[in-house]
Amino acid sequence: MTATEPVGTPIPADVPQPAPGATPPRTPLIARAAAELVGTAALVAVVVGSGIQATKLTQDVALQLLANSTATVFGLGVLIALLGPVSGAHFNPAVTLAEWWTARRSGAGVNAREPAVYVPSQIAGAIAGAILADAMFGEPLVQWSTHDRSAGNLLLGEVVATAGLILLIFGLARTDRLRFAPVAVASYIGAAYWFTSSTSFANPAVTIGRAFTDTFAGIAPASVPGFIGMQLAGVVVGLALVAVIFMRGKTDNGTPPA
């Protein structure tokens, strides 16, 4: 769809639509930045808000985590489906940086300017989302979390969670299946809540935002650098797995296929 087409113009079914890992090139950068800010804010509001609600309804930690993960799955899926056509629905500096890295050779994806706009928007949105959730439930608007998450096994969980997320998103892109991203990414995060020791933050911006709330989903500020470091390590692992598993073949003359 071009910029001159009316909003209501139907889009042919055979025209590929953007999703995470595939930023629409003709969308104004300010609109993409706004989508990343609002989407990340909404995601953190879902994570933090559902955590607060869960602790008010039950003292069973397993039920609290179930409520928190279920709300996150549905919320994330909706946000990706809604904002994917605008910004690619990254909501995550790890995804943005991974896409920039992979786009250096192919030229498809975010350019060097976009991470400089996306990442601050994501961080600002994450902080705003945490404050909004606290406000909705009558909690102090900003209260640093006291939830220490610095144990080595939790840091390992973040490497695994982030590597799996990168493998999923860029694996879908390599196999031309990004149309499944809203369901696939949300489902993965929901599963990773349970199979990783860290409950799968897998997102530097969300990690920063969750430090601003001393509630169920919070993380102590002192634990934030370690989590972010492991998430960036997970990006490297994930991209390496993508390169090996989805290795492009060569034609008979030794050149990559078109």
Side-chain angles (χ1 to χ4, degrees), residues 54-173:
T55 57
K56 290 180 179 293
L57 295 176
T58 179
Q59 297 302 310
D60 188 319
V61 177
L63 288 178
Q64 291 172 356
L65 186 60
L66 179 61
N68 192 215
S69 60
T70 301
T72 301
V73 167
F74 287 120
L76 180 57
V78 167
L79 289 170
I80 294 173
L82 174 64
L83 298 176
V86 179
S87 68
H90 296 184
F91 314 145
N92 187 338
V95 174
T96 299
L97 293 174
E99 187 182 336
W100 166 76
W101 181 262
T102 58
R104 293 176 308 117
R105 292 182 179 179
S106 66
V110 299
N111 56 38
R113 182 180 63 164
E114 289 167 309
V117 175
Y118 270 36
V119 173
S121 298
Q122 293 157 351
I123 293 172
I127 295 170
I131 294 173
L132 175 61
D134 281 340
M136 287 192 292
F137 286 93
E139 301 288 338
L141 296 186
V142 175
Q143 187 172 21
W144 299 117
S145 176
T146 56
H147 291 245
D148 179 74
R149 300 178 189 264
S150 59
N153 63 304
L154 302 183
L155 298 178
L156 176 60
E158 278 303 286
V159 175
V160 173
T162 310
L165 178 63
I166 296 299
L167 175 61
L168 171 62
I169 293 173
F170 289 87
L172 290 175

Side-chain angles (χ1 to χ4, degrees), residues 1 27 51 126 138 171 251:
M1 183 170 67
T27 306
T251 60

Side-chain angles (χ1 to χ4, degrees), residues 9 21 23 29 31 52 93 108 115 120 126 130-131 137 147 152 160 170 216 228 239 244 256-258:
T9 303
T23 304
L29 183 57
I52 297 172
I131 294 173
F137 286 93
H147 291 245
V160 173
F170 289 87
F216 178 80
I228 292 177
L239 289 177
V244 172

